[in-house]
Amino acid sequence: MVGGAGVGLLLAFVALLVVGTYSAAAGIAGGGAKGSVGLAKGAVPTMYQPLVQKWGNLCPAINPALLAAQLYQESGWRADAKSPADARGIAQFIPGTWATHGVDGNGDGKKDIWDPADAIPSAASYDCELASYVKKVPGDQSDNMLASYNAGAYAVIKYGGIPPYRETQNYVKIIRSLEKSFARPIGRVAPSQQAASAIYYAQQKLGTPYLWGGNGTADQGGRFDCSGLTKAAYESVGIGLPRVANDQYNAGPHPSRNELLPGDLVFFSDDLGNSRAIHHVGLYVGGGYMIDAPYTGAVIRFDKIDSPDYFGATRVTKDGAQAVGSAAGAAGAAGAAE
């Protein structure tokens, strides 16, 4: 437990880290060179990475990160997901659509809607087919393809682009925002504008006892668990993160270890190739340290981030948080259906 004097020294230390790190970050927002789209570390579960990487390059309208974003939004990577509308499997095909557009992706002589080795190639193939229908429509070809996926190619052709349907416009925005989370960054990731205030919130909770499932509410004595703390810290600056740590990982792009800035979320996983196995999250403050709510019996404190289970980081964006929140809700609904 950190004493009063220790807290004062540590807060001063953090203030210096934040100012120094952001001063050094002035040149980061410029971006980097363009290149082919790869997948961010562990964002796609290991068993599906080769399929997504291969079939995500099937045509120019899609890429691996965009295909991954669609699959995450549809099912949350659950191969057994079934929606109330009878959409099935990891790609959430309706049986009627599957009958026409399903492909035998693994070459075993059958098209199985529940088998990701067929469903993922089928999703990519269907995307590319839709893109071919609207290839002469003005605007971004990927946006028009996604709009066709949601509203039908006829509507995209009729309106000369994304149709004026709120559901369709939101769908396109969600997938394109999630795409940034699943893509391996090319160049440096732009700094967050809200990070310092999120850190300030977390600093005020230092010394608070940990509570499993804690959201900081009055009936819980203002206590938190790890993802409850990071969620509350970003809610304090108007950004709504999902409740679960492995969903929070998808709330923005992923800076590398040597590009971390204060305010980045840092994650720890039991499987370093799979973000769905993340078991802990903290709020990076600089100098190799984070503020986190570690475990039952401990208090919110400063911890070093460098450990064998360090998985990676996310630089939270408002669009990314909104997108992953919508996707997590949709995938949860599909997974809960009988």
Side-chain angles (χ1 to χ4, degrees), residues 133-161:
Y133 296 156
V134 296
K135 64 181 179 181
K136 294 184 179 179
V137 176
D140 184 273
Q141 62 176 345
S142 298
D143 286 352
N144 289 337
M145 178 274 292
L146 290 170
S148 300
Y149 188 95
N150 182 264
Y154 172 79
V156 175
I157 293 169
K158 175 183 176 181
Y159 288 103

Side-chain angles (χ1 to χ4, degrees), residues 22-117:
Y22 274 103
S23 297
I28 289 180
K34 294 182 178 180
S36 60
V37 177
L39 294 169
K41 174 192 171 183
V44 174
T46 304
M47 68 183 77
Y48 302 135
Q49 284 178 13
L51 284 168
V52 173
Q53 190 69 54
K54 174 184 176 181
W55 291 94
N57 289 297
L58 186 61
C59 68
I62 64 173
N63 63 66
L66 188 148
L67 179 59
Q70 278 189 293
L71 294 166
Y72 175 77
Q73 196 275 339
E74 294 294 340
S75 68
W77 304 110
R78 285 195 56 177
D80 62 348
K82 184 177 180 181
S83 79
D86 199 28
R88 304 177 182 184
I90 197 169
Q92 288 290 278
F93 274 97
I94 298 292
T97 305
W98 178 262
T100 306
H101 298 284
V103 302
D104 177 14
N106 59 6
D108 66 356
K110 59 183 180 181
K111 299 184 293 183
D112 185 352
I113 197 171
W114 298 106
D115 187 349

